[in-house]
Amino acid sequence: MARFVFWTGAYNAGLALVLAFPSLYRALGLNIPSPLWGWLVGGFLAYTSAALILSSRDLPRRASFVYFEALLRYAAALLLVPAGLFGDLGLIAVPLGLGDLAIGLVYMFGLPGALGTTHRALFLDRQA
């Protein structure tokens, strides 16, 4: 599980880098109305990237950060999929959103099994 968390943190870093360059994300089919919004989301992604990578180094102690990242992934999916299908964000947003949903599910349901703890313990940061 720690390796998965690490690589999803690296994935976030890659997304943050792409969002720093409007010409790059536009070439991929992502239509963000202003570079400011891409930079803002990219900044959040860079932060979550660091949180995930650092959490992967000591997952039993830092698993709550990853657990809450699952909630952010769900929110991203809820925003990206409809915006890609029915809005003008671009169809590339649909697989990105579905990927976020899948990663969030792995975090939320994989962490308790991998660490031998409960959802409640992770949510309240009460695991060993």
Side-chain angles (χ1 to χ4, degrees), residues 1 59 63-64 66-67 70 74 104-123 127:
M1 188 69 183
L59 196 55
S64 289
V66 180
Y67 193 82
Y74 298 152
L105 289 169
V106 171
Y107 287 164
M108 186 162 279
F109 295 102
L111 281 171
L115 299 175
T117 189
T118 65
H119 291 279
R120 184 170 196 253
L122 288 165
F123 187 80
Q127 71 280 1

Side-chain angles (χ1 to χ4, degrees), residues 37-109:
W37 293 112
W39 297 331
L40 183 64
V41 172
F44 285 120
L45 284 168
Y47 176 81
T48 61
S49 172
L52 289 169
I53 290 169
L54 293 173
S55 293
S56 74
R57 296 176 64 195
D58 190 0
L59 196 55
R61 285 189 27 203
R62 298 176 182 155
S64 289
F65 294 116
V66 180
Y67 193 82
F68 278 95
E69 170 75 8
L71 301 177
L72 293 175
R73 298 279 183 172
Y74 298 152
L78 282 172
L79 294 171
L80 289 171
V81 172
L85 290 174
F86 309 114
D88 59 353
L89 192 58
L91 283 177
I92 186 124
V94 175
L96 291 173
L98 293 174
D100 278 332
L101 176 62
I103 292 168
L105 289 169
V106 171
Y107 287 164
M108 186 162 279
F109 295 102

